[in-house]
Amino acid sequence: MEMKAVVFCTGLMLLFAWLSPSQALYFHIGETEKKCFIEEIPDETMVIGRYRTQLWDKQAGSFLPSTPGLGMHVEIKDPDAKIILSRQYGSDGRFTFTSHTPGEHQICLHSNSSKMALFAGGKLRVHLDIQVGEHTNNYPEIAAKDKLTELQLRVRQLLDQVEQIQKEQNYQRYREERFRMTSESTNQRVLWWSIAQTIILIITGIWQMRHLKSFFEAKKLV
């Protein structure tokens, strides 16, 4: 029985790992270029972003670690376009924020213009890793701090993952409700537009009938 429970828990962990809300990528930016990314995040969810930069070296023909003087500016906006983070970091950095409004959050990065002369006309490669929800937790550190056994740690991970799934489900319900409200509003507008068109056609028809009647009466008088 215990073996089946372990297999079941392991299967759940693999499933949740497959649903892992974590993104890692890299991109290139120019001297005055700004890169923005959209991340759909539930409310009350922690997000951690890590990045490192590399400069293009013409002599080496490859990207090398950036100089310490080069910095990156990170700006994050919530779904209401309100700035929740705007800060200058170094060539390698880590930023953290917690969402308070569910929806699409905009994460923008650009290099500091005062140091761009270091690679004027060159390219900058930025490696970005964004972790959302329970994936921001450092479980080895938690296990060492709370003196958890391996089984207790796995249970803790499962509980955190279940909590994150509940947040995702609440966010999906929120999106569904907003979509339903938008659909109802659109249908109502279409209905009123159809009614307005019908009234305009009726008024136009009545006016044409009166105009034709007056025309024929005038012809008889002539």
Side-chain angles (χ1 to χ4, degrees), residues 91-220:
S91 56
D92 296 345
R94 175 181 181 271
F95 57 89
T96 305
F97 69 94
T98 300
S99 62
H100 299 291
T101 304
E104 295 182 346
H105 288 66
Q106 187 181 67
I107 303 173
C108 298
L109 298 93
H110 64 88
S111 58
N112 53 344
S113 58
S114 61
K115 303 296 183 181
M116 292 305 290
L118 295 174
F119 70 107
K123 292 186 295 183
L124 180 68
R125 173 181 288 180
V126 182
H127 297 263
L128 178 64
D129 181 21
I130 299 176
Q131 295 180 331
V132 181
E134 82 281 357
H135 295 275
T136 60
N137 296 330
N138 189 342
Y139 287 106
E141 182 178 342
I142 294 175
K145 181 179 179 181
D146 297 338
K147 298 180 180 180
L148 302 177
T149 63
E150 184 178 355
L151 181 58
Q152 290 174 331
L153 182 61
R154 292 192 177 186
V155 171
R156 172 71 177 271
Q157 289 177 317
L158 286 174
L159 291 175
D160 291 342
Q161 289 171 346
V162 168
E163 181 181 359
Q164 183 63 29
I165 289 176
Q166 289 177 343
K167 290 180 180 180
E168 292 286 348
Q169 289 177 339
N170 292 335
Y171 174 60
Q172 294 301 326
R173 282 193 288 267
Y174 169 77
R175 290 186 60 188
E176 183 180 354
E177 182 180 358
R178 290 193 61 182
F179 178 75
R180 178 178 58 79
M181 293 175 61
T182 303
S183 299
E184 290 178 355
S185 176
T186 303
N187 292 335
Q188 189 175 13
R189 291 179 181 178
V190 170
L191 175 62
W192 283 111
W193 175 245
S194 301
I195 293 174
Q197 283 183 317
T198 302
I199 292 174
I200 292 173
L201 289 174
I202 292 174
I203 293 174
T204 304
I206 294 173
W207 179 81
Q208 287 180 340
M209 291 177 63
R210 291 174 62 90
H211 178 72
L212 289 173
K213 183 179 179 182
S214 300
F215 174 76
F216 287 125
E217 287 178 352
K219 284 293 184 180
K220 289 180 180 179

Side-chain angles (χ1 to χ4, degrees), residues 50-92:
R50 296 180 177 87
Y51 72 88
R52 60 185 178 89
T53 59
Q54 293 178 309
L55 282 173
W56 174 256
D57 191 299
K58 294 182 179 180
Q59 295 181 352
S62 63
F63 285 94
L64 299 179
S66 302
T67 58
L70 183 65
M72 293 293 294
H73 186 271
V74 179
E75 183 180 89
I76 300 172
K77 296 181 180 179
D78 65 5
D80 299 325
K82 180 181 178 182
I83 297 177
I84 57 179
L85 176 66
S86 180
R87 185 177 172 183
Q88 188 77 23
Y89 294 89
S91 56
D92 296 345

